[in-house]
């Protein structure tokens, strides 16, 4: 039997036993700390624009030191701005990971794939471990691989909608065709959807709104952690085939043996 | 009134569209079933907005609040952004009958020197705030622009987000301010009724309705990231003005998809020598309805609630629909230096809580005060 303890998510040469990436955008600071513990997340995103450096409550102070911070470039409308924010993050001591977000639509917050590819190439050349947030398009994913991305992060549904895997079929194609980890980012609204993403073969799931806006942040963080682990285990075990016709448990041709 | 010399012109089709829609908005014709239908839409359209701003929706405040709260949580989580305005001058060339800064109103005038602005900014920064809005009177003299630019340069050294609420500019002038560190521009249209606008703006550059209407577009053309809209509720028919504000913001966002849209919700307030000025029929329930309608129609927009309203209302509305709140506010000039007023206020405020107090009150509401939510790139 597969031992999940030997199963790691690998990103840019780093290994993580947790496949749950926790977004920090919509939490209260104290709850964030608690949610990290319950989610058992090892990677937590950080919007650099939210860092109140020198302020009374700096979000960095609420993220435990053993957690990998994944700064994102939210606020960037194009590749140049994303690169600038990433450099600022590195100067602030946030490490080499960066989640590229290039968004020039303030209504739906959909990523601009073209600018994302450009930013990924520039940042990978600067030595960053680049995790690009993208609209699930196979051609773009291939370009991101060539640009030096460490994974691809397709959206399941628009940010904050909790609508789940609306882009399911396209994410499946990425999983089939792209060698890098495919991490569903945005739209995951409940633990069942996270579990489904993992069962499909996603390498990890990122969630934020679903947890931050739940009635009990800590309980929901735990529920996500469990569902992601369950989904991963199911994927590793290999799901049974889905068939249109009934198949008898006792084969009809069994008497021939 | 039409454009004046030196005013950059913008194609008037968007303005005409907004004004025509406003003119033809007959809110008395909407029924309870129209309101229910609007609240049932996953994405409320212009017709839904009309219903939500109608008198019929007044009976559905609780339902509207629930929908608004849900929309706000989805887009903003539980974060509430804090900012403070800094008035650097109350000189004004325009004559507006309702405003304390009006050029014909006898008040104590002051224009802070740049070193005084710096001291005021430092004083504000000590409170932990990272978002500041620089304000002046409507003094259109061009020499003022470099002065405002210098103030903004100083502000951008201490704050992560700097906005201006000043007289409308041409796009190259907005570009200059953007270079000085400004990233958002707020312009209140006051009223979207051209007739009423002409009656209450009787002198100065502000007389040009069209130039003011297109200010947000010129600001975006000048490179600004965000623009803010508002009608001064109570100046004219508040339902029509609220409707026009929301569709104006919506059309600009559609035309400039990258634009970050904000809406303010000011009601008329008494001012020095203008104690007769008041919000009239725009009572708190009406204001609540308007703000909820804004949130439901534009769920992604920042909605600001100012100190024109009292602490109880402000605490209530940030739980439901408003995502940004001012704190530690003085609408006079020079008061952050030592608390001593030097120049008179634009209007009377109703919430005098300091930054610490508002911060604690937000936490007590199980919300998260957000000081910094911006990065200048």
């Amino acid at each position: 039997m597969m031992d999940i303890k030997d199963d790691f998510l690998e990103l840019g040469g780093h290994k993580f036993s947790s496949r749950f990436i926790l977004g920090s955008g919509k939490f209260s600071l104290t709850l964030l700390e608690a949610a990290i513990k319950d989610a058992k997340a090892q990677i937590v995103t950080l919007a650099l624009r939210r860092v109140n450096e020198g302020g009374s409550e700096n979000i960095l102070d609420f993220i435990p030191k053993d957690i990998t911070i994944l700064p994102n470039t939210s606020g960037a409308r194009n590749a140049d701005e994303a690169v600038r924010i990433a450099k600022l993050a590195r100067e602030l001591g946030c490490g080499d990971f960066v989640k590229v977000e290039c968004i020039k639509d303030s209504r739906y917050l959909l990523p601009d794939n073209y600018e994302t590819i450009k930013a990924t190439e520039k940042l990978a050349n600067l030595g960053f471990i680049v995790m690009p947030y993208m609209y699930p398009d196979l051609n773009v994913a291939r370009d991101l691989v060539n640009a030096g991305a460490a994974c691809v992060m397709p959206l399941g549904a628009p940010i904050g909608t909790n609508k789940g895997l609306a882009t399911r079929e396209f994410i499946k194609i990425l999983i089939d065709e792209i060698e890098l980890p495919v991490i569903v980012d945005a739209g995951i609204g409940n633990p069942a959807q996270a579990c489904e993403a993992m069962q499909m073969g996603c390498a990890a799931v990122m969630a934020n709104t679903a947890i931050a806006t739940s009635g009990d942040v800590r309980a929901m963080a735990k529920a996500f952690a469990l569902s992601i682990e369950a989904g991963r285990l199911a994927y590793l075990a290999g799901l049974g085939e889905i068939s249109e016709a009934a198949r008898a448990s006792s084969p009809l041709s069994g008497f021939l043996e | 009134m039409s454009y004046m010399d030196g005013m950059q012109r913008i194609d008037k089709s968007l303005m005409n569209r907004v004004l025509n829609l406003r003119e033809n908005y007959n809110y008395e014709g909407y029924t309870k079933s129209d309101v229910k239908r609007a609240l049932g839409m996953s994405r409320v359209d212009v017709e839904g907005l009309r219903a939500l701003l109608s008198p019929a929706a007044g009976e559905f405040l609780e339902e509207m609040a629930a929908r608004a709260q849900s929309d706000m949580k989805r887009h903003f989580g539980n974060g509430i952004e804090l900012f403070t305005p800094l008035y650097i001058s109350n000189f004004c060339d325009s004559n507006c009958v309702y405003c304390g800064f009006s050029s014909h109103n006898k008040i104590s005038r002051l224009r802070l020197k740049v070193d005084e602005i710096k001291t005021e900014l430092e004083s504000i920064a000590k409170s932990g705030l990272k978002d500041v809005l620089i304000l002046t009177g409507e003094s259109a003299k061009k020499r003022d622009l470099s002065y405002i630019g210098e103030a903004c340069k100083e502000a951008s050294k201490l704050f992560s987000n700097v906005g201006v609420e000043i007289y409308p500019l041409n796009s190259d002038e907005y570009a200059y301010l953007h270079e000085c560190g400004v990233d958002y521009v707020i312009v209140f249209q006051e009223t979207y009724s051209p007739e009423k606008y002409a009656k209450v703006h009787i002198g100065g550059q502000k007389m040009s309705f069209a130039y003011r209407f297109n200010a947000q577009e010129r600001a975006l053309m000048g490179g600004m990231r965000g623009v803010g809209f508002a009608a001064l509720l109570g100046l004219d028919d508040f339902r029509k003005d609220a409707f026009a504000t929301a569709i104006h913001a919506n059309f600009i966002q559609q035309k400039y998809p990258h634009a970050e849209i904000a809406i303010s919700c000011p009601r008329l307030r008494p001012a020095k020598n203008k104690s007769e000025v008041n919000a009239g029929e725009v009572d708190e329930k009406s204001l609540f309805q308007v703000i909820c309608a804004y949130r439901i129609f534009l769920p992604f927009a920042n909605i600001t609630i100012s100190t024109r309203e009292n602490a109880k209302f402000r605490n209530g509305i940030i739980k439901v629909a408003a995502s940004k709140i001012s704190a530690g506010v003085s609408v006079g000039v020079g008061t952050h230096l030592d608390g001593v007023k030097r120049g008179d206020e634009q209007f009377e405020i109703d919430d005098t809580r300091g930054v610490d107090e508002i911060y604690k009150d937000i936490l007590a509401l199980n919300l998260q005060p957000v000081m910094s939510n911006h990065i200048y790139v």
Side-chain angles (χ1 to χ4, degrees):
Chain A
M1 189 180 121
M2 177 74 192
D3 189 346
I4 205 159
K5 284 179 184 163
D6 300 327
D7 178 51
F8 295 101
L9 168 66
E10 288 198 37
L11 293 166
H14 297 258
K15 283 185 173 182
F16 301 92
S17 55
S18 166
R19 292 175 178 271
F20 185 8
I21 300 176
L22 191 64
S24 66
K26 295 175 177 175
F27 290 104
S28 295
L29 297 179
T30 46
L31 270 181
L32 171 64
E33 195 174 12
I36 291 168
K37 286 177 185 157
D38 290 297
K40 293 182 180 158
Q42 293 170 310
I43 303 175
V44 174
T45 67
L46 174 72
L48 205 65
R49 63 195 173 97
R50 274 285 180 91
V51 175
N52 188 20
E53 200 190 0
S56 53
E57 284 192 336
N58 185 345
I59 193 169
L60 286 167
D61 297 334
F62 289 81
I63 300 176
K65 300 301 171 204
D66 58 339
I67 297 291
T68 297
I69 292 173
L70 176 57
N72 68 40
T73 64
S74 76
R77 288 169 294 189
N78 55 48
D80 288 343
E81 292 182 353
V83 169
R84 228 175 302 166
I85 294 172
K87 286 179 177 174
L88 274 172
R90 188 141 75 175
E91 282 174 27
L92 271 173
C94 295
D96 288 334
F97 280 89
V98 65
K99 180 175 163 225
V100 171
E101 293 184 9
C102 289
I103 293 172
K104 57 184 177 192
D105 172 87
S106 68
R107 184 183 294 249
Y108 299 104
L109 302 175
L110 294 173
D112 180 326
N113 279 348
Y114 175 69
E115 293 293 327
T116 302
I117 295 166
K118 286 201 291 184
T120 297
E121 186 166 23
K122 286 181 184 177
L123 290 169
N125 286 336
L126 289 169
F128 282 92
I129 300 164
V130 188
M131 301 172 66
Y133 170 54
M134 59 158 330
Y135 195 85
D137 175 309
L138 179 58
N139 295 306
V140 173
R142 285 176 174 147
D143 285 345
L144 288 170
V145 172
N146 293 333
C151 66
V152 291
M153 301 184 77
L155 59 89
I159 292 175
T161 59
N162 288 345
K163 288 185 174 175
L165 292 166
T167 59
R168 181 184 288 103
E169 296 306 318
F170 303 99
I171 290 176
K172 275 183 188 168
I173 292 171
L174 299 191
I175 292 168
D176 288 345
E177 301 297 329
I178 299 296
E179 293 294 320
L180 293 175
V182 175
I183 300 173
V184 177
D185 178 8
I188 296 295
N190 62 49
Q193 294 161 355
C195 187
E196 185 191 349
M198 296 305 295
Q199 286 184 163
M200 279 165 53
C202 287
V205 165
M206 196 196 129
N208 185 348
T209 305
I211 299 154
T213 61
S214 73
D216 184 335
V217 169
R218 298 192 59 172
M220 188 58 80
K222 191 170 182 180
F224 263 85
L226 292 169
S227 69
I228 288 168
E229 195 171 320
R232 178 66 180 172
L233 204 52
Y235 170 75
L236 293 174
L239 298 176
E241 258 184 72
I242 296 171
S243 169
E244 293 299 324
R247 287 186 187 171
S249 306
S250 305
L252 299 176
S253 57
F255 71 94
L256 295 173
E257 291 174 2
Chain B
M1 181 166 174
S2 59
Y3 289 89
M4 299 174 188
D5 288 345
M7 289 180 169
Q8 181 185 353
R9 290 160 192 253
I10 298 267
D11 174 75
K12 60 186 179 184
S13 57
L14 193 149
M15 183 175 80
N16 287 344
R17 200 172 158 206
V18 171
L19 296 184
N20 285 336
L21 284 166
R22 180 192 186 279
E23 182 66 24
N24 294 317
Y25 175 33
N26 299 312
Y27 48 76
E28 294 292 355
Y30 287 85
T31 64
K32 288 180 186 178
S33 72
D34 295 323
V35 179
K36 285 180 188 169
R37 192 181 308 125
L39 287 170
M41 297 168 116
S42 61
R43 167 115 174 72
V44 172
D45 59 11
V46 172
E47 183 60 8
L49 173 67
R50 288 189 184 102
L52 294 179
L53 285 170
S54 72
E59 292 179 40
F60 292 84
L61 290 188
E62 197 54 36
E63 290 87 343
M64 286 179 70
R67 169 67 187 265
Q69 186 180 52
S70 166
D71 286 344
M72 188 165 84
K73 266 195 174 290
R74 197 165 69 245
H75 285 267
F76 295 88
N78 61 355
I80 301 294
E81 292 180 40
L82 280 88
F83 79 106
T84 208
L86 172 62
Y87 285 77
I88 59 171
S89 166
N90 60 4
F91 281 92
C92 190
D93 298 337
S94 289
N95 185 7
C96 312
V97 298
Y98 54 87
C99 180
F101 283 178
S102 166
S103 60
H104 284 48
N105 198 21
K106 287 183 181 170
I107 60 167
S108 169
R109 305 274 174 184
L110 182 71
R111 183 178 133 121
L112 295 178
K113 296 183 180 76
V114 172
D115 61 330
E116 291 173 325
I117 293 170
K118 197 176 164 188
T119 309
E120 290 244 321
L121 288 165
E122 284 166 354
S123 172
I124 294 168
K126 281 181 191 160
S127 69
L129 290 168
K130 300 294 280 183
D131 185 335
V132 69
L133 177 66
I134 305 288
L135 293 100
T136 64
E138 296 262 341
S139 180
K141 288 171 186 160
K142 295 301 176 190
R143 64 181 171 80
D144 262 12
L145 190 59
S146 59
Y147 163 71
I148 294 168
E150 289 307 307
C152 294
K153 282 181 194 169
E154 292 299 330
S156 65
K157 291 175 190 168
L158 294 167
F159 296 85
S160 59
N161 202 11
V162 179
V164 290
E165 189 177 331
I166 58 170
Y167 50 94
L169 302 171
N170 292 343
S171 59
D172 61 329
E173 295 168 320
Y174 281 124
Y176 162 71
L177 288 185
H178 185 60
E179 282 172 21
C180 295
V182 179
D183 223 8
Y184 71 100
V185 170
I186 293 173
V187 181
F188 290 4
Q189 186 61 29
E190 318 296 16
T191 176
Y192 283 82
S193 159
E195 297 77 25
K196 185 60 179 273
Y197 189 94
K199 279 184 189 164
V200 295
H201 302 106
I202 51 181
Q205 169 180 284
K206 199 166 174 178
M207 291 170 75
S208 175
F209 181 95
Y211 187 63
R212 194 169 189 84
F213 182 94
N214 290 317
Q216 287 88 355
E217 196 162 351
R218 294 192 305 275
L220 292 167
M221 290 162 68
M224 295 294 174
R225 177 190 301 269
V227 284
F229 301 77
L232 187 48
L233 301 172
L235 202 53
D236 195 65
D237 185 323
F238 80 90
R239 295 182 199 277
K240 287 194 171 204
D241 273 343
F243 173 66
T245 304
I247 56 172
H248 184 195
N250 187 43
F251 290 157
I252 288 291
Q253 204 281 330
Q254 285 177 332
K255 191 169 179 182
Y256 299 89
H258 69 276
E260 291 179 4
I261 298 298
I263 295 189
S264 302
C265 317
R267 288 194 295 172
L268 266 178
R269 292 285 300 164
K272 187 172 183 180
N273 308 324
K274 294 176 186 287
S275 57
E276 76 288 358
V277 173
N278 64 69
E281 61 178 328
V282 192
D283 55 19
E284 284 194 349
K285 279 188 176 175
S286 300
L287 180 64
F288 186 83
Q289 181 187 345
V290 166
I291 298 173
C292 287
Y294 284 158
R295 169 59 63 213
I296 296 167
F297 182 62
L298 299 169
F300 52 85
N302 233 334
I303 295 180
T304 301
I305 188 72
S306 84
T307 47
R308 290 168 187 262
E309 306 307 328
N310 62 52
K312 186 179 166 197
F313 185 88
R314 298 214 310 155
N315 281 350
I317 202 68
I318 60 173
K319 283 189 341 194
V320 173
S323 50
K324 192 166 180 176
I325 189 168
S326 50
V329 172
S330 165
V331 291
V333 183
T335 43
H336 291 283
L337 292 170
D338 50 16
V340 178
K341 185 177 80 173
R342 292 174 172 77
D344 278 333
E345 298 90 346
Q346 188 173 24
F347 53 83
E348 292 176 12
I349 65 173
D350 209 350
D351 182 358
T352 54
R353 286 177 295 169
V355 176
D356 279 351
E357 202 177 349
I358 290 187
Y359 193 100
K360 284 175 190 159
D361 285 353
I362 292 172
L363 285 175
L365 294 167
N366 284 324
L367 299 168
Q368 178 66 45
V370 175
M371 294 298 201
S372 175
N373 196 27
H374 188 86
I375 189 160
Y376 188 81
V377 281

